[in-house]
Amino acid sequence: MVALRVTASLPSIAFANSLVRCRPAQRPPFAAFASFSSGGATCGQASPLQRQLVLYTKPGCCLCEGLKEKLQAALSLGGSHTLHSVELQVRDISGNAEWERLYQYEIPVLAKILPDGREETLPRLSPRLGVELIQKKITAALEQ
């Protein structure tokens, strides 16, 4: 089962938090994104072992939607390359000028969050890859 948490701009944070009844995560107030997790921490609080991915997208991008669906499926798969401890944040670049400047011609962009909080962009995944292969590639990228 995939959990969904949506956090919007600053004025609606209180409303979103009243819906999920938890404290806001420690993220910039301008960040607009959705998080998908296949288990682990509650209310978006990452456990020390939880790994995080960020997918930068924009509305109307069919490549973004396809990759998001495959990533959500890959998070749910079991097997030797399980990603059950991974949290996926989907960030809409149209809601942030800096993200739009950085990624407007590159989306979808997938990045992993390093232990020190920095982001490292991962190699582009082909839209032709199957869910199992995406799971293996993500597992390998997170282990580096």
Side-chain angles (χ1 to χ4, degrees), residues 27 33-34 51-57 67 71 86-92 99 103 108-113 117-122 142:
R27 293 185 175 88
F33 57 87
R51 300 169 292 175
Q52 296 179 329
L53 293 174
V54 177
L55 177 62
Y56 290 95
T57 69
L67 182 57
L71 286 171
V86 176
E87 177 187 3
L88 175 64
Q89 297 176 4
V90 179
R91 296 182 180 175
D92 178 359
W99 295 340
Y103 305 122
V109 173
L110 187 62
K112 68 179 179 180
I113 298 181
R118 292 180 299 123
E119 290 182 13
E120 179 182 299
T121 302
L122 299 179
L142 290 172

Side-chain angles (χ1 to χ4, degrees), residues 98-119:
E98 180 65 14
W99 295 340
E100 193 165 16
R101 184 186 66 77
L102 290 171
Y103 305 122
Q104 65 181 329
Y105 302 116
E106 303 296 324
I107 60 162
V109 173
L110 187 62
K112 68 179 179 180
I113 298 181
L114 301 172
D116 64 3
R118 292 180 299 123
E119 290 182 13

Side-chain angles (χ1 to χ4, degrees), residues 36 53-57 61-75 88-90 106-111 122-131 133-135 137-138:
F36 301 91
L53 293 174
V54 177
L55 177 62
Y56 290 95
T57 69
C61 172
C62 60
L63 291 175
C64 299
E65 288 301 316
L67 182 57
K68 181 172 71 172
E69 289 173 10
K70 287 182 179 180
L71 286 171
Q72 290 170 346
L75 290 176
L88 175 64
Q89 297 176 4
V90 179
E106 303 296 324
I107 60 162
V109 173
L110 187 62
L122 299 179
R124 181 175 298 278
L125 296 172
S126 170
R128 296 180 181 188
L129 292 178
V131 174
L133 192 51
I134 286 177
Q135 183 191 45
K137 289 185 174 284
I138 296 297

